[in-house]
Amino acid sequence: MTIKLALPLSGPEFGSYSKNDVLWLLKNLSQYNLEGELEEREKDIQSGKRHYSETLPIEYQPDEAYVNLFKNSLRETNVKLARAVAKVAEKIIKIFPEQITLISLARAGVPAGILLKRYINQYYPERDVIHYAISIVRGRGIDENALRFILKERTWQTWAFVDGWSGKGAIQKELKSALKKFFPSIYTSNSFISDLFVLADPGSCTPYYGTREDFLIPSACLNSTVSGLVSRTVLNSLIEANDYHGAKFYKNLKETDVSNYFIDEITKFFKQSQASHTSLPTWEGWEQVTDLAQEFNTTINMIKPGVGETTRVLLRRIPDKILIDPDKRQYTKHIELLAKARGVQVSFRHLTGYSCIGVIKNLRSEVD
């Protein structure tokens, strides 16, 4: 059976990024009401009544103090982040000598993919580089229709999968499993790279990273307003056999959108990276998360390590507690601000690799 696939979505019709920055392989679900009340949504997810990808969290709208914190963190980390972008981009340049196909995992991977594309365009204008955004869903795999579309346009030898950061490595595992299923005959080829390219890899999950330091990537501070006004991806009954996974375009948040501001601010600080040592992944982050899950009598999925993942817990889940490394509080100012606003317990303890870790509240007893 031949599947007829739609052309990619692009701004300004879908999202606030330009068509030159990213092509979204998604189905536009903007007309549907998919947002659920926070606690009921959390109960549904934990009870197994609904998968997290079937609904959307209500978009958190920060106050002026939090927006100022985002801008301050951007000023404090712009050079560090630009260097991480340069380091990853230089690795991509060495691996892919001609065509480069950046495939970012929506939505946290999209700003990273745009920054990588901007860097390559700036320093290697002769390279043929294109950037697609696709969906991957933990527990349900990657959007295979999106892969089919890209495969018609670009050879798989040019593919580089991009995300913003690693947590404990769950998405890295999901990606490898999904690609092995989709490409069983070429998965073991030396030309096929199934590891993620990330700006920060505090979990030590991939050999392709900008830094292993768990610092604040400012795009983790906000939701759609720093991700092209696009929601998290959706996989529910609205998605038919010929469709890509879905997402919404929040046009109503245009006045508070800082997506392009973030990209432009980092781009100002691009510099050619120097050759640097790259270490192999140790997966020490996964080991620490396993230990914490046992300590708190919960599951691995309820432990969200790293600045980016902890921010997500506070923005769109029901947090139980937050762990912060006292030696790395320069990266957790927004975490402490959000935790205070939501009345969440903060504990200080030394962590391996991570600046902070978020623990989701177990609501199963209330559900059962």
Side-chain angles (χ1 to χ4, degrees):
M1 180 181 70
T2 302
I3 297 178
K4 185 177 181 181
L5 300 172
L7 294 175
L9 302 172
S10 61
E13 292 78 17
F14 185 85
S16 60
Y17 293 127
S18 75
K19 184 175 183 178
N20 186 56
D21 278 330
V22 61
L23 299 172
W24 303 87
L25 289 171
L26 296 170
K27 179 179 182 179
N28 189 350
L29 301 178
S30 301
Q31 70 271 35
Y32 296 100
N33 182 15
L34 300 173
E35 291 76 16
E37 191 275 327
L38 189 60
E39 187 162 345
E40 288 304 313
R41 182 175 184 270
E42 187 66 45
K43 287 181 179 179
D44 286 347
I45 292 171
Q46 291 191 27
S47 68
K49 183 178 179 181
R50 287 190 178 88
H51 191 270
Y52 78 87
S53 65
E54 294 180 45
T55 60
L56 291 170
I58 297 172
E59 285 281 309
Y60 170 76
Q61 292 304 299
D63 58 21
E64 184 177 358
Y66 190 80
V67 172
N68 288 336
L69 192 149
F70 160 77
K71 292 180 179 179
N72 289 337
S73 70
L74 185 54
R75 284 191 290 269
E76 292 170 1
T77 60
N78 48 29
V79 174
K80 186 192 296 277
L81 184 53
R83 286 174 178 166
V85 172
K87 184 176 176 181
V88 176
E90 292 291 341
K91 290 180 182 179
I92 290 173
I93 288 297
K94 290 178 182 178
I95 294 170
F96 306 103
E98 296 180 0
Q99 275 195 343
I100 300 168
T101 306
L102 301 174
I103 305 175
S104 63
L105 305 182
R107 70 184 167 186
V110 176
I114 292 174
L115 287 169
L116 291 170
K117 187 174 188 295
R118 292 272 190 100
Y119 181 95
I120 295 168
N121 285 339
Q122 181 172 328
Y123 291 107
Y124 301 91
E126 75 283 359
R127 294 297 178 94
D128 174 14
V129 57
I130 193 168
H131 176 211
Y132 295 104
I134 72 172
S135 168
I136 188 169
V137 176
R138 181 172 51 80
R140 295 194 173 181
I142 203 163
D143 186 342
E144 293 190 352
N145 281 343
L147 294 182
R148 291 185 183 99
F149 178 90
I150 299 172
L151 196 57
K152 290 194 305 180
E153 303 292 319
R154 315 279 286 192
T155 175
W156 56 264
Q157 286 94 339
T158 68
W159 291 11
F161 290 90
V162 176
D163 209 351
W165 57 84
S166 72
K168 56 182 174 281
I171 291 300
Q172 171 80 304
K173 287 175 177 283
E174 191 75 45
L175 178 67
K176 284 180 171 290
S177 175
L179 292 176
K180 187 174 183 179
K181 175 187 172 186
F182 188 79
F183 283 126
S185 60
I186 64 171
Y187 182 79
T188 57
S189 167
N190 290 333
S191 300
F192 188 73
I193 297 178
S194 60
D195 290 292
L196 282 169
F197 291 80
V198 298
L199 302 185
D201 181 35
S204 190
C205 307
T206 175
Y208 308 114
Y209 59 90
T211 179
R212 286 223 166 102
E213 185 179 359
D214 186 22
F215 75 101
L216 171 62
I217 296 178
S219 60
C221 280
L222 303 171
N223 287 316
S224 66
T225 53
V226 77
S227 305
L229 296 182
V230 174
S231 74
R232 293 193 65 182
T233 58
V234 175
L235 183 57
N236 60 18
S237 59
L238 295 171
I239 307 305
E240 299 178 356
N242 288 6
D243 291 334
Y244 307 120
H245 295 185
K248 294 180 70 168
F249 172 27
Y250 292 118
K251 290 182 181 180
N252 58 305
L253 300 180
K254 185 176 181 180
E255 290 186 3
T256 57
D257 185 30
V258 292
S259 302
N260 288 291
Y261 167 74
F262 168 72
I263 297 295
D264 292 340
E265 285 300 299
I266 301 303
T267 303
K268 291 177 185 177
F269 294 91
F270 280 167
K271 295 179 181 179
Q272 292 281 20
S273 65
Q274 301 298 314
S276 56
H277 174 69
T278 297
S279 59
L280 295 175
T282 64
W283 288 90
E284 63 183 10
W286 189 273
E287 293 178 8
Q288 183 172 198
V289 167
T290 302
D291 292 341
L292 287 173
Q294 292 178 348
E295 177 183 341
F296 297 135
N297 192 28
T298 188
T299 66
I300 287 178
N301 288 341
M302 305 289 271
I303 310 290
K304 303 294 185 180
V307 175
E309 295 304 303
T310 304
T311 304
R312 286 175 165 181
V313 169
L314 286 161
L315 289 178
R316 60 196 194 205
R317 303 298 293 269
I318 305 290
D320 181 43
K321 61 177 69 72
I322 303 296
L323 310 179
I324 292 178
D325 191 313
D327 295 333
K328 301 175 183 176
R329 292 182 70 180
Q330 70 268 34
Y331 301 138
T332 63
K333 295 174 185 176
H334 73 294
I335 296 288
E336 295 183 50
L337 188 68
L338 284 172
K340 183 178 180 180
R342 296 196 61 183
V344 179
Q345 172 192 348
V346 174
S347 299
F348 295 95
R349 61 193 287 180
H350 292 288
L351 303 170
T352 304
Y354 300 113
S355 297
C356 55
I357 293 176
V359 182
I360 297 173
K361 186 176 182 180
N362 190 338
L363 302 179
R364 288 299 299 273
S365 59
E366 299 177 31
V367 173
D368 297 340

